[in-house]
Amino acid sequence: DAKTTQPPSMDCAEGRAANLPCNHSTISGNEYVYWYRQIHSQGPQYIIHGLKNNETNEMASLIITEDRKSSTLILPHATLRDTAVYYCIRLPQGGSEKLVFGKGTKLTVNP
Amino acid sequence: DAGVIQSPRHEVTEMGQEVTLRCKPISGHDYLFWYRQTMMRGLELLIYFNNNVPIDDSGMPEDRFSAKMPNASFSTLKIQPSEPRDSAVYFCASTLFGGVTGELFFGEGSRLTVL
């Protein structure tokens, strides 16, 4: 049970921002929000994670609502290579073994 | 760093045969995970090791599956005897305790087809 809710699919135009939503309304205070992606035929790849503050790295930005019930992963300038399944995962601190993948969102970046 | 290395990348075998999948984690990592991915069930954690010791194998589907980690740089997942329903992509992942919790580094996977 991934305990997060994501749309099954989304489309985005190349060069535009891709905003991927995730609902985690029952998240606990000690649980982080993690994002992974899986490009076809490859292993999952870590993108970013956060607790309650917004986070940014070279790959993406993560916006977490103040009540922490939902978050949005932002790919600021999507490219064709960003086409992948994106997974939003709740994970307690120190609990790598509890990484549970749901069905994720299939993002298709169109030329 | 070469990343997590898995072999073979593809394996086709017949029902009843023994299958051995191999994994070399990233040097220095002390956690190793085995996942299985199918269309029906998605990504499932089978077993994980910490410092070469199996910690939780509750995800291993049945006794036909076994995993070992004889040293810090090598792990195997064995299926004996194999069945068609074992057809899946098997991923190995590793991480370092004290590093970014939840940042697992996955290999490219081993695609198993059991006829």
Side-chain angles (χ1 to χ4, degrees), chain A residues 34 36 38 40-46 49 87 91-103, chain B residues 9 31 33 35 37 39-40 43 45 48 91 95 97 100-109 111:
Chain A
Y34 277 75
Y36 274 74
Q38 187 174 21
H40 181 61
S41 297
Q42 297 183 19
Q45 176 190 25
Y46 165 84
H49 76 284
Y87 299 96
L91 189 69
Q93 176 65 24
S96 292
E97 69 279 9
K98 295 181 173 56
L99 202 67
V100 176
F101 291 81
K103 296 187 181 301
Chain B
R9 291 295 312 278
Y31 277 84
F33 304 80
Y35 283 83
Q37 186 171 36
M39 288 293 291
M40 290 296 293
L43 269 161
L45 176 63
Y48 76 95
F91 288 102
T95 194
F97 181 80
V100 176
T101 297
E103 183 178 4
L104 271 59
F105 295 81
F106 283 79
E108 293 296 304
R111 181 175 295 276

mmCIF file of all heavy atoms in Angstrom, chain A residues 34 36 38 40-46 49 87 91-103, chain B residues 9 31 33 35 37 39-40 43 45 48 91 95 97 100-109 111:
data_model
loop_
_atom_site.group_PDB
_atom_site.id
_atom_site.type_symbol
_atom_site.label_atom_id
_atom_site.label_comp_id
_atom_site.label_asym_id
_atom_site.label_seq_id
_atom_site.Cartn_x
_atom_site.Cartn_y
_atom_site.Cartn_z
ATOM 1 N N TYR A 34 9.100 11.364 -0.968
ATOM 2 C CA TYR A 34 10.165 11.060 -1.914
ATOM 3 C C TYR A 34 9.587 10.951 -3.320
ATOM 4 O O TYR A 34 8.459 10.505 -3.503
ATOM 5 C CB TYR A 34 10.828 9.717 -1.565
ATOM 6 C CG TYR A 34 11.873 9.812 -0.492
ATOM 7 C CD1 TYR A 34 11.522 9.974 0.848
ATOM 8 C CD2 TYR A 34 13.221 9.752 -0.815
ATOM 9 C CE1 TYR A 34 12.488 10.082 1.831
ATOM 10 C CE2 TYR A 34 14.194 9.857 0.167
ATOM 11 C CZ TYR A 34 13.822 10.017 1.481
ATOM 12 O OH TYR A 34 14.787 10.125 2.454
ATOM 13 N N TYR A 36 10.646 9.369 -7.118
ATOM 14 C CA TYR A 36 11.499 8.574 -7.980
ATOM 15 C C TYR A 36 10.898 8.607 -9.382
ATOM 16 O O TYR A 36 9.703 8.881 -9.548
ATOM 17 C CB TYR A 36 11.539 7.109 -7.523
ATOM 18 C CG TYR A 36 12.567 6.797 -6.470
ATOM 19 C CD1 TYR A 36 12.385 7.198 -5.146
ATOM 20 C CD2 TYR A 36 13.720 6.087 -6.792
ATOM 21 C CE1 TYR A 36 13.337 6.907 -4.185
ATOM 22 C CE2 TYR A 36 14.675 5.776 -5.828
ATOM 23 C CZ TYR A 36 14.466 6.197 -4.528
ATOM 24 O OH TYR A 36 15.410 5.907 -3.568
ATOM 25 N N GLN A 38 11.072 6.266 -13.250
ATOM 26 C CA GLN A 38 11.548 5.077 -13.923
ATOM 27 C C GLN A 38 11.354 5.259 -15.420
ATOM 28 O O GLN A 38 10.216 5.256 -15.913
ATOM 29 C CB GLN A 38 10.835 3.824 -13.440
ATOM 30 C CG GLN A 38 11.419 2.533 -13.993
ATOM 31 C CD GLN A 38 10.800 1.295 -13.392
ATOM 32 O OE1 GLN A 38 9.697 1.318 -12.853
ATOM 33 N NE2 GLN A 38 11.533 0.173 -13.468
ATOM 34 N N HIS A 40 11.659 3.964 -19.174
ATOM 35 C CA HIS A 40 11.374 2.641 -19.721
ATOM 36 C C HIS A 40 12.611 1.749 -19.754
ATOM 37 O O HIS A 40 13.662 2.147 -20.233
ATOM 38 C CB HIS A 40 10.805 2.790 -21.134
ATOM 39 C CG HIS A 40 10.454 1.480 -21.772
ATOM 40 N ND1 HIS A 40 9.514 0.634 -21.237
ATOM 41 C CD2 HIS A 40 10.952 0.847 -22.858
ATOM 42 C CE1 HIS A 40 9.413 -0.435 -21.997
ATOM 43 N NE2 HIS A 40 10.283 -0.344 -22.978
ATOM 44 N N SER A 41 12.435 0.535 -19.183
ATOM 45 C CA SER A 41 13.466 -0.502 -19.209
ATOM 46 C C SER A 41 14.671 -0.194 -18.325
ATOM 47 O O SER A 41 15.691 -0.872 -18.430
ATOM 48 C CB SER A 41 13.960 -0.761 -20.634
ATOM 49 O OG SER A 41 12.912 -1.245 -21.434
ATOM 50 N N GLN A 42 14.558 0.834 -17.487
ATOM 51 C CA GLN A 42 15.651 1.135 -16.569
ATOM 52 C C GLN A 42 15.190 0.967 -15.124
ATOM 53 O O GLN A 42 13.997 0.861 -14.847
ATOM 54 C CB GLN A 42 16.160 2.560 -16.787
ATOM 55 C CG GLN A 42 16.741 2.807 -18.159
ATOM 56 C CD GLN A 42 17.293 4.220 -18.295
ATOM 57 O OE1 GLN A 42 17.564 4.895 -17.307
ATOM 58 N NE2 GLN A 42 17.463 4.658 -19.531
ATOM 59 N N GLY A 43 16.151 0.959 -14.219
ATOM 60 C CA GLY A 43 15.810 0.916 -12.810
ATOM 61 C C GLY A 43 15.311 2.267 -12.337
ATOM 62 O O GLY A 43 15.616 3.296 -12.932
ATOM 63 N N PRO A 44 14.527 2.289 -11.262
ATOM 64 C CA PRO A 44 14.058 3.567 -10.713
ATOM 65 C C PRO A 44 15.238 4.467 -10.336
ATOM 66 O O PRO A 44 16.299 3.989 -9.940
ATOM 67 C CB PRO A 44 13.254 3.151 -9.483
ATOM 68 C CG PRO A 44 12.832 1.742 -9.763
ATOM 69 C CD PRO A 44 13.974 1.139 -10.532
ATOM 70 N N GLN A 45 14.995 5.752 -10.424
ATOM 71 C CA GLN A 45 16.020 6.748 -10.143
ATOM 72 C C GLN A 45 15.484 7.747 -9.132
ATOM 73 O O GLN A 45 14.395 8.303 -9.325
ATOM 74 C CB GLN A 45 16.410 7.463 -11.444
ATOM 75 C CG GLN A 45 17.402 8.597 -11.271
ATOM 76 C CD GLN A 45 17.567 9.424 -12.537
ATOM 77 O OE1 GLN A 45 16.677 9.483 -13.382
ATOM 78 N NE2 GLN A 45 18.707 10.059 -12.670
ATOM 79 N N TYR A 46 16.225 7.977 -8.076
ATOM 80 C CA TYR A 46 15.848 8.972 -7.080
ATOM 81 C C TYR A 46 15.887 10.368 -7.698
ATOM 82 O O TYR A 46 16.799 10.708 -8.472
ATOM 83 C CB TYR A 46 16.812 8.895 -5.899
ATOM 84 C CG TYR A 46 16.780 10.079 -4.964
ATOM 85 C CD1 TYR A 46 15.847 10.170 -3.939
ATOM 86 C CD2 TYR A 46 17.694 11.119 -5.107
ATOM 87 C CE1 TYR A 46 15.836 11.259 -3.074
ATOM 88 C CE2 TYR A 46 17.682 12.205 -4.246
ATOM 89 C CZ TYR A 46 16.748 12.273 -3.240
ATOM 90 O OH TYR A 46 16.732 13.351 -2.391
ATOM 91 N N HIS A 49 13.575 14.678 -2.352
ATOM 92 C CA HIS A 49 12.702 14.393 -1.229
ATOM 93 C C HIS A 49 12.594 15.625 -0.337
ATOM 94 O O HIS A 49 13.436 16.539 -0.421
ATOM 95 C CB HIS A 49 13.182 13.177 -0.427
ATOM 96 C CG HIS A 49 14.359 13.445 0.469
ATOM 97 N ND1 HIS A 49 15.654 13.577 -0.018
ATOM 98 C CD2 HIS A 49 14.449 13.614 1.805
ATOM 99 C CE1 HIS A 49 16.470 13.796 0.998
ATOM 100 N NE2 HIS A 49 15.781 13.831 2.108
ATOM 101 N N TYR A 87 7.063 8.270 -9.414
ATOM 102 C CA TYR A 87 6.496 7.703 -8.195
ATOM 103 C C TYR A 87 6.654 8.680 -7.039
ATOM 104 O O TYR A 87 7.747 9.203 -6.791
ATOM 105 C CB TYR A 87 7.206 6.410 -7.814
ATOM 106 C CG TYR A 87 7.123 5.297 -8.808
ATOM 107 C CD1 TYR A 87 8.155 5.079 -9.725
ATOM 108 C CD2 TYR A 87 6.021 4.443 -8.838
ATOM 109 C CE1 TYR A 87 8.087 4.041 -10.640
ATOM 110 C CE2 TYR A 87 5.951 3.401 -9.750
ATOM 111 C CZ TYR A 87 6.988 3.204 -10.648
ATOM 112 O OH TYR A 87 6.916 2.165 -11.546
ATOM 113 N N LEU A 91 7.924 8.051 3.220
ATOM 114 C CA LEU A 91 8.963 7.241 3.846
ATOM 115 C C LEU A 91 9.372 7.836 5.174
ATOM 116 O O LEU A 91 9.723 9.012 5.236
ATOM 117 C CB LEU A 91 10.189 7.161 2.932
ATOM 118 C CG LEU A 91 11.283 6.189 3.351
ATOM 119 C CD1 LEU A 91 10.795 4.764 3.197
ATOM 120 C CD2 LEU A 91 12.540 6.410 2.516
ATOM 121 N N PRO A 92 9.337 7.021 6.237
ATOM 122 C CA PRO A 92 9.784 7.544 7.530
ATOM 123 C C PRO A 92 11.298 7.717 7.551
ATOM 124 O O PRO A 92 12.026 6.994 6.862
ATOM 125 C CB PRO A 92 9.331 6.474 8.519
ATOM 126 C CG PRO A 92 9.243 5.229 7.709
ATOM 127 C CD PRO A 92 8.854 5.645 6.330
ATOM 128 N N GLN A 93 11.743 8.648 8.350
ATOM 129 C CA GLN A 93 13.173 8.874 8.488
ATOM 130 C C GLN A 93 13.860 7.583 8.932
ATOM 131 O O GLN A 93 13.415 6.923 9.866
ATOM 132 C CB GLN A 93 13.430 9.982 9.514
ATOM 133 C CG GLN A 93 14.894 10.229 9.817
ATOM 134 C CD GLN A 93 15.649 10.758 8.618
ATOM 135 O OE1 GLN A 93 15.061 11.347 7.713
ATOM 136 N NE2 GLN A 93 16.944 10.534 8.574
ATOM 137 N N GLY A 94 14.935 7.225 8.246
ATOM 138 C CA GLY A 94 15.680 6.022 8.610
ATOM 139 C C GLY A 94 15.047 4.736 8.146
ATOM 140 O O GLY A 94 15.482 3.664 8.531
ATOM 141 N N GLY A 95 14.051 4.823 7.311
ATOM 142 C CA GLY A 95 13.323 3.611 6.917
ATOM 143 C C GLY A 95 13.448 3.259 5.457
ATOM 144 O O GLY A 95 12.431 3.046 4.783
ATOM 145 N N SER A 96 14.665 3.196 4.949
ATOM 146 C CA SER A 96 14.848 2.899 3.528
ATOM 147 C C SER A 96 14.159 1.616 3.112
ATOM 148 O O SER A 96 13.704 1.498 1.986
ATOM 149 C CB SER A 96 16.346 2.799 3.211
ATOM 150 O OG SER A 96 16.978 4.041 3.339
ATOM 151 N N GLU A 97 14.066 0.670 4.029
ATOM 152 C CA GLU A 97 13.482 -0.619 3.667
ATOM 153 C C GLU A 97 11.978 -0.518 3.473
ATOM 154 O O GLU A 97 11.348 -1.451 2.992
ATOM 155 C CB GLU A 97 13.787 -1.638 4.770
ATOM 156 C CG GLU A 97 13.067 -1.393 6.091
ATOM 157 C CD GLU A 97 13.733 -0.337 6.960
ATOM 158 O OE1 GLU A 97 14.659 0.335 6.480
ATOM 159 O OE2 GLU A 97 13.338 -0.211 8.127
ATOM 160 N N LYS A 98 11.409 0.590 3.819
ATOM 161 C CA LYS A 98 9.962 0.749 3.683
ATOM 162 C C LYS A 98 9.601 1.512 2.421
ATOM 163 O O LYS A 98 8.498 2.031 2.299
ATOM 164 C CB LYS A 98 9.403 1.451 4.914
ATOM 165 C CG LYS A 98 9.549 0.626 6.195
ATOM 166 C CD LYS A 98 8.973 1.349 7.372
ATOM 167 C CE LYS A 98 8.956 0.480 8.617
ATOM 168 N NZ LYS A 98 10.295 -0.036 8.969
ATOM 169 N N LEU A 99 10.511 1.604 1.483
ATOM 170 C CA LEU A 99 10.231 2.276 0.218
ATOM 171 C C LEU A 99 9.249 1.418 -0.563
ATOM 172 O O LEU A 99 9.608 0.365 -1.072
ATOM 173 C CB LEU A 99 11.539 2.453 -0.556
ATOM 174 C CG LEU A 99 11.595 3.532 -1.625
ATOM 175 C CD1 LEU A 99 11.493 4.906 -0.981
ATOM 176 C CD2 LEU A 99 12.881 3.430 -2.416
ATOM 177 N N VAL A 100 8.000 1.871 -0.643
ATOM 178 C CA VAL A 100 6.940 1.123 -1.316
ATOM 179 C C VAL A 100 6.507 1.915 -2.543
ATOM 180 O O VAL A 100 6.061 3.060 -2.422
ATOM 181 C CB VAL A 100 5.737 0.898 -0.381
ATOM 182 C CG1 VAL A 100 4.608 0.198 -1.146
ATOM 183 C CG2 VAL A 100 6.153 0.075 0.830
ATOM 184 N N PHE A 101 6.626 1.294 -3.687
ATOM 185 C CA PHE A 101 6.267 1.942 -4.944
ATOM 186 C C PHE A 101 4.813 1.646 -5.284
ATOM 187 O O PHE A 101 4.401 0.497 -5.278
ATOM 188 C CB PHE A 101 7.160 1.450 -6.073
ATOM 189 C CG PHE A 101 8.589 1.891 -5.978
ATOM 190 C CD1 PHE A 101 9.489 1.225 -5.152
ATOM 191 C CD2 PHE A 101 9.047 2.990 -6.695
ATOM 192 C CE1 PHE A 101 10.808 1.636 -5.056
ATOM 193 C CE2 PHE A 101 10.366 3.410 -6.599
ATOM 194 C CZ PHE A 101 11.242 2.736 -5.782
ATOM 195 N N GLY A 102 4.069 2.684 -5.590
ATOM 196 C CA GLY A 102 2.709 2.528 -6.085
ATOM 197 C C GLY A 102 2.720 2.429 -7.595
ATOM 198 O O GLY A 102 3.684 1.958 -8.181
ATOM 199 N N LYS A 103 1.642 2.877 -8.210
ATOM 200 C CA LYS A 103 1.552 2.789 -9.678
ATOM 201 C C LYS A 103 2.138 4.018 -10.375
ATOM 202 O O LYS A 103 2.451 3.981 -11.555
ATOM 203 C CB LYS A 103 0.100 2.591 -10.092
ATOM 204 C CG LYS A 103 -0.478 1.269 -9.595
ATOM 205 C CD LYS A 103 -1.858 1.009 -10.163
ATOM 206 C CE LYS A 103 -2.428 -0.289 -9.633
ATOM 207 N NZ LYS A 103 -1.568 -1.440 -9.964
ATOM 208 N N ARG B 9 21.472 -9.516 -17.896
ATOM 209 C CA ARG B 9 20.438 -8.521 -18.202
ATOM 210 C C ARG B 9 19.166 -9.189 -18.691
ATOM 211 O O ARG B 9 18.052 -8.713 -18.438
ATOM 212 C CB ARG B 9 20.944 -7.543 -19.260
ATOM 213 C CG ARG B 9 22.041 -6.615 -18.783
ATOM 214 C CD ARG B 9 21.559 -5.657 -17.690
ATOM 215 N NE ARG B 9 20.314 -4.989 -18.015
ATOM 216 C CZ ARG B 9 20.195 -3.915 -18.778
ATOM 217 N NH1 ARG B 9 21.268 -3.367 -19.325
ATOM 218 N NH2 ARG B 9 19.018 -3.372 -19.011
ATOM 219 N N TYR B 31 23.573 -1.417 2.593
ATOM 220 C CA TYR B 31 22.239 -1.990 2.421
ATOM 221 C C TYR B 31 22.086 -2.473 0.995
ATOM 222 O O TYR B 31 22.498 -1.790 0.041
ATOM 223 C CB TYR B 31 21.146 -0.949 2.703
ATOM 224 C CG TYR B 31 20.809 -0.762 4.162
ATOM 225 C CD1 TYR B 31 21.557 0.092 4.966
ATOM 226 C CD2 TYR B 31 19.725 -1.425 4.739
ATOM 227 C CE1 TYR B 31 21.245 0.272 6.299
ATOM 228 C CE2 TYR B 31 19.400 -1.250 6.070
ATOM 229 C CZ TYR B 31 20.161 -0.395 6.844
ATOM 230 O OH TYR B 31 19.852 -0.213 8.171
ATOM 231 N N PHE B 33 19.078 -4.350 -1.595
ATOM 232 C CA PHE B 33 17.664 -4.705 -1.744
ATOM 233 C C PHE B 33 17.465 -5.481 -3.036
ATOM 234 O O PHE B 33 18.099 -5.179 -4.049
ATOM 235 C CB PHE B 33 16.791 -3.436 -1.801
ATOM 236 C CG PHE B 33 16.951 -2.511 -0.627
ATOM 237 C CD1 PHE B 33 18.028 -1.631 -0.552
ATOM 238 C CD2 PHE B 33 16.015 -2.489 0.393
ATOM 239 C CE1 PHE B 33 18.176 -0.756 0.522
ATOM 240 C CE2 PHE B 33 16.145 -1.614 1.471
ATOM 241 C CZ PHE B 33 17.229 -0.758 1.527
ATOM 242 N N TYR B 35 14.270 -6.259 -5.593
ATOM 243 C CA TYR B 35 12.894 -5.950 -5.962
ATOM 244 C C TYR B 35 12.507 -6.778 -7.182
ATOM 245 O O TYR B 35 13.342 -7.180 -7.987
ATOM 246 C CB TYR B 35 12.735 -4.470 -6.337
ATOM 247 C CG TYR B 35 12.681 -3.491 -5.182
ATOM 248 C CD1 TYR B 35 13.849 -3.025 -4.579
ATOM 249 C CD2 TYR B 35 11.464 -2.998 -4.711
ATOM 250 C CE1 TYR B 35 13.804 -2.113 -3.533
ATOM 251 C CE2 TYR B 35 11.408 -2.077 -3.675
ATOM 252 C CZ TYR B 35 12.583 -1.641 -3.093
ATOM 253 O OH TYR B 35 12.526 -0.736 -2.067
ATOM 254 N N GLN B 37 9.571 -6.605 -10.426
ATOM 255 C CA GLN B 37 8.574 -5.753 -11.080
ATOM 256 C C GLN B 37 7.815 -6.524 -12.138
ATOM 257 O O GLN B 37 8.414 -7.111 -13.041
ATOM 258 C CB GLN B 37 9.219 -4.522 -11.710
ATOM 259 C CG GLN B 37 8.215 -3.532 -12.288
ATOM 260 C CD GLN B 37 8.862 -2.230 -12.714
ATOM 261 O OE1 GLN B 37 9.985 -2.212 -13.205
ATOM 262 N NE2 GLN B 37 8.165 -1.112 -12.513
ATOM 263 N N MET B 39 3.902 -6.260 -14.485
ATOM 264 C CA MET B 39 2.832 -5.334 -14.868
ATOM 265 C C MET B 39 1.695 -5.387 -13.857
ATOM 266 O O MET B 39 1.089 -4.363 -13.507
ATOM 267 C CB MET B 39 2.319 -5.693 -16.253
ATOM 268 C CG MET B 39 3.261 -5.362 -17.376
ATOM 269 S SD MET B 39 3.467 -3.589 -17.545
ATOM 270 C CE MET B 39 1.836 -3.124 -18.133
ATOM 271 N N MET B 40 1.409 -6.587 -13.380
ATOM 272 C CA MET B 40 0.256 -6.744 -12.486
ATOM 273 C C MET B 40 0.508 -6.194 -11.089
ATOM 274 O O MET B 40 -0.368 -5.576 -10.488
ATOM 275 C CB MET B 40 -0.114 -8.225 -12.392
ATOM 276 C CG MET B 40 -0.713 -8.805 -13.654
ATOM 277 S SD MET B 40 -2.289 -8.036 -14.038
ATOM 278 C CE MET B 40 -3.271 -8.617 -12.664
ATOM 279 N N LEU B 43 6.313 -2.760 -8.555
ATOM 280 C CA LEU B 43 7.584 -3.022 -7.898
ATOM 281 C C LEU B 43 7.338 -3.545 -6.492
ATOM 282 O O LEU B 43 6.683 -2.890 -5.686
ATOM 283 C CB LEU B 43 8.397 -1.730 -7.813
ATOM 284 C CG LEU B 43 9.356 -1.430 -8.954
ATOM 285 C CD1 LEU B 43 9.723 0.039 -8.954
ATOM 286 C CD2 LEU B 43 10.600 -2.281 -8.868
ATOM 287 N N LEU B 45 9.235 -5.260 -3.000
ATOM 288 C CA LEU B 45 10.463 -5.576 -2.274
ATOM 289 C C LEU B 45 10.434 -7.051 -1.872
ATOM 290 O O LEU B 45 9.480 -7.505 -1.245
ATOM 291 C CB LEU B 45 10.588 -4.699 -1.029
ATOM 292 C CG LEU B 45 11.774 -4.990 -0.113
ATOM 293 C CD1 LEU B 45 13.087 -4.730 -0.839
ATOM 294 C CD2 LEU B 45 11.705 -4.147 1.148
ATOM 295 N N TYR B 48 15.872 -7.648 1.893
ATOM 296 C CA TYR B 48 16.978 -6.713 1.955
ATOM 297 C C TYR B 48 17.991 -7.163 2.997
ATOM 298 O O TYR B 48 17.659 -7.873 3.946
ATOM 299 C CB TYR B 48 16.507 -5.277 2.180
ATOM 300 C CG TYR B 48 16.076 -4.918 3.580
ATOM 301 C CD1 TYR B 48 16.972 -4.332 4.478
ATOM 302 C CD2 TYR B 48 14.756 -5.102 3.984
ATOM 303 C CE1 TYR B 48 16.559 -3.970 5.747
ATOM 304 C CE2 TYR B 48 14.339 -4.737 5.254
ATOM 305 C CZ TYR B 48 15.241 -4.172 6.134
ATOM 306 O OH TYR B 48 14.838 -3.808 7.396
ATOM 307 N N PHE B 91 15.170 -6.269 -9.883
ATOM 308 C CA PHE B 91 16.094 -5.162 -9.662
ATOM 309 C C PHE B 91 16.831 -5.343 -8.345
ATOM 310 O O PHE B 91 16.259 -5.777 -7.338
ATOM 311 C CB PHE B 91 15.341 -3.828 -9.607
ATOM 312 C CG PHE B 91 14.815 -3.356 -10.919
ATOM 313 C CD1 PHE B 91 13.467 -3.501 -11.228
ATOM 314 C CD2 PHE B 91 15.656 -2.749 -11.843
ATOM 315 C CE1 PHE B 91 12.961 -3.057 -12.431
ATOM 316 C CE2 PHE B 91 15.164 -2.305 -13.057
ATOM 317 C CZ PHE B 91 13.812 -2.463 -13.353
ATOM 318 N N THR B 95 22.224 1.119 -0.909
ATOM 319 C CA THR B 95 22.296 2.438 -0.310
ATOM 320 C C THR B 95 23.215 2.397 0.892
ATOM 321 O O THR B 95 23.613 1.317 1.355
ATOM 322 C CB THR B 95 20.892 2.955 0.090
ATOM 323 O OG1 THR B 95 20.960 4.358 0.366
ATOM 324 C CG2 THR B 95 20.367 2.239 1.316
ATOM 325 N N PHE B 97 23.688 3.545 4.783
ATOM 326 C CA PHE B 97 23.088 4.057 5.999
ATOM 327 C C PHE B 97 23.847 5.302 6.422
ATOM 328 O O PHE B 97 25.070 5.298 6.495
ATOM 329 C CB PHE B 97 23.155 3.016 7.112
ATOM 330 C CG PHE B 97 22.514 3.487 8.385
ATOM 331 C CD1 PHE B 97 21.142 3.450 8.537
ATOM 332 C CD2 PHE B 97 23.274 4.000 9.427
ATOM 333 C CE1 PHE B 97 20.540 3.895 9.706
ATOM 334 C CE2 PHE B 97 22.683 4.443 10.587
ATOM 335 C CZ PHE B 97 21.304 4.392 10.731
ATOM 336 N N VAL B 100 21.673 9.734 2.273
ATOM 337 C CA VAL B 100 20.314 10.232 2.108
ATOM 338 C C VAL B 100 19.352 9.074 2.292
ATOM 339 O O VAL B 100 19.261 8.185 1.467
ATOM 340 C CB VAL B 100 20.109 10.866 0.720
ATOM 341 C CG1 VAL B 100 18.651 11.289 0.538
ATOM 342 C CG2 VAL B 100 21.048 12.040 0.523
ATOM 343 N N THR B 101 18.662 9.050 3.418
ATOM 344 C CA THR B 101 17.705 7.978 3.661
ATOM 345 C C THR B 101 16.702 7.938 2.530
ATOM 346 O O THR B 101 16.127 8.952 2.176
ATOM 347 C CB THR B 101 16.965 8.211 4.985
ATOM 348 O OG1 THR B 101 17.910 8.181 6.043
ATOM 349 C CG2 THR B 101 15.928 7.128 5.216
ATOM 350 N N GLY B 102 16.470 6.761 2.014
ATOM 351 C CA GLY B 102 15.486 6.634 0.952
ATOM 352 C C GLY B 102 16.063 6.833 -0.427
ATOM 353 O O GLY B 102 15.355 6.699 -1.417
ATOM 354 N N GLU B 103 17.356 7.194 -0.521
ATOM 355 C CA GLU B 103 17.957 7.319 -1.850
ATOM 356 C C GLU B 103 18.607 5.996 -2.199
ATOM 357 O O GLU B 103 19.769 5.749 -1.871
ATOM 358 C CB GLU B 103 18.990 8.447 -1.911
ATOM 359 C CG GLU B 103 19.548 8.614 -3.329
ATOM 360 C CD GLU B 103 20.549 9.749 -3.459
ATOM 361 O OE1 GLU B 103 20.873 10.369 -2.421
ATOM 362 O OE2 GLU B 103 21.002 10.003 -4.584
ATOM 363 N N LEU B 104 17.853 5.173 -2.847
ATOM 364 C CA LEU B 104 18.352 3.887 -3.305
ATOM 365 C C LEU B 104 18.891 4.020 -4.711
ATOM 366 O O LEU B 104 18.342 4.742 -5.541
ATOM 367 C CB LEU B 104 17.225 2.837 -3.291
ATOM 368 C CG LEU B 104 17.016 2.035 -1.995
ATOM 369 C CD1 LEU B 104 16.725 2.956 -0.836
ATOM 370 C CD2 LEU B 104 15.931 1.007 -2.180
ATOM 371 N N PHE B 105 19.967 3.297 -4.943
ATOM 372 C CA PHE B 105 20.569 3.289 -6.264
ATOM 373 C C PHE B 105 20.257 1.928 -6.893
ATOM 374 O O PHE B 105 20.674 0.886 -6.370
ATOM 375 C CB PHE B 105 22.080 3.505 -6.164
ATOM 376 C CG PHE B 105 22.452 4.853 -5.625
ATOM 377 C CD1 PHE B 105 22.442 5.102 -4.250
ATOM 378 C CD2 PHE B 105 22.794 5.884 -6.483
ATOM 379 C CE1 PHE B 105 22.764 6.361 -3.744
ATOM 380 C CE2 PHE B 105 23.119 7.142 -5.987
ATOM 381 C CZ PHE B 105 23.102 7.377 -4.625
ATOM 382 N N PHE B 106 19.520 1.975 -7.982
ATOM 383 C CA PHE B 106 19.065 0.750 -8.622
ATOM 384 C C PHE B 106 19.974 0.353 -9.775
ATOM 385 O O PHE B 106 20.528 1.203 -10.486
ATOM 386 C CB PHE B 106 17.642 0.916 -9.162
ATOM 387 C CG PHE B 106 16.573 0.858 -8.115
ATOM 388 C CD1 PHE B 106 16.305 1.962 -7.317
ATOM 389 C CD2 PHE B 106 15.825 -0.301 -7.915
ATOM 390 C CE1 PHE B 106 15.314 1.913 -6.341
ATOM 391 C CE2 PHE B 106 14.839 -0.350 -6.950
ATOM 392 C CZ PHE B 106 14.584 0.757 -6.159
ATOM 393 N N GLY B 107 20.060 -0.958 -9.977
ATOM 394 C CA GLY B 107 20.708 -1.464 -11.172
ATOM 395 C C GLY B 107 19.755 -1.423 -12.354
ATOM 396 O O GLY B 107 18.615 -0.956 -12.235
ATOM 397 N N GLU B 108 20.241 -1.889 -13.488
ATOM 398 C CA GLU B 108 19.441 -1.851 -14.707
ATOM 399 C C GLU B 108 18.421 -2.984 -14.772
ATOM 400 O O GLU B 108 17.568 -2.998 -15.645
ATOM 401 C CB GLU B 108 20.349 -1.903 -15.930
ATOM 402 C CG GLU B 108 21.215 -0.665 -16.108
ATOM 403 C CD GLU B 108 20.370 0.567 -16.363
ATOM 404 O OE1 GLU B 108 19.573 0.558 -17.326
ATOM 405 O OE2 GLU B 108 20.491 1.549 -15.602
ATOM 406 N N GLY B 109 18.535 -3.940 -13.863
ATOM 407 C CA GLY B 109 17.558 -5.019 -13.807
ATOM 408 C C GLY B 109 17.950 -6.244 -14.617
ATOM 409 O O GLY B 109 18.764 -6.168 -15.542
ATOM 410 N N ARG B 111 15.932 -9.114 -16.684
ATOM 411 C CA ARG B 111 14.618 -9.515 -17.209
ATOM 412 C C ARG B 111 14.587 -11.024 -17.350
ATOM 413 O O ARG B 111 15.348 -11.589 -18.142
ATOM 414 C CB ARG B 111 14.333 -8.844 -18.552
ATOM 415 C CG ARG B 111 12.966 -9.223 -19.134
ATOM 416 C CD ARG B 111 12.684 -8.441 -20.397
ATOM 417 N NE ARG B 111 12.554 -7.013 -20.133
ATOM 418 C CZ ARG B 111 11.453 -6.406 -19.736
ATOM 419 N NH1 ARG B 111 10.349 -7.115 -19.565
ATOM 420 N NH2 ARG B 111 11.428 -5.108 -19.544
#
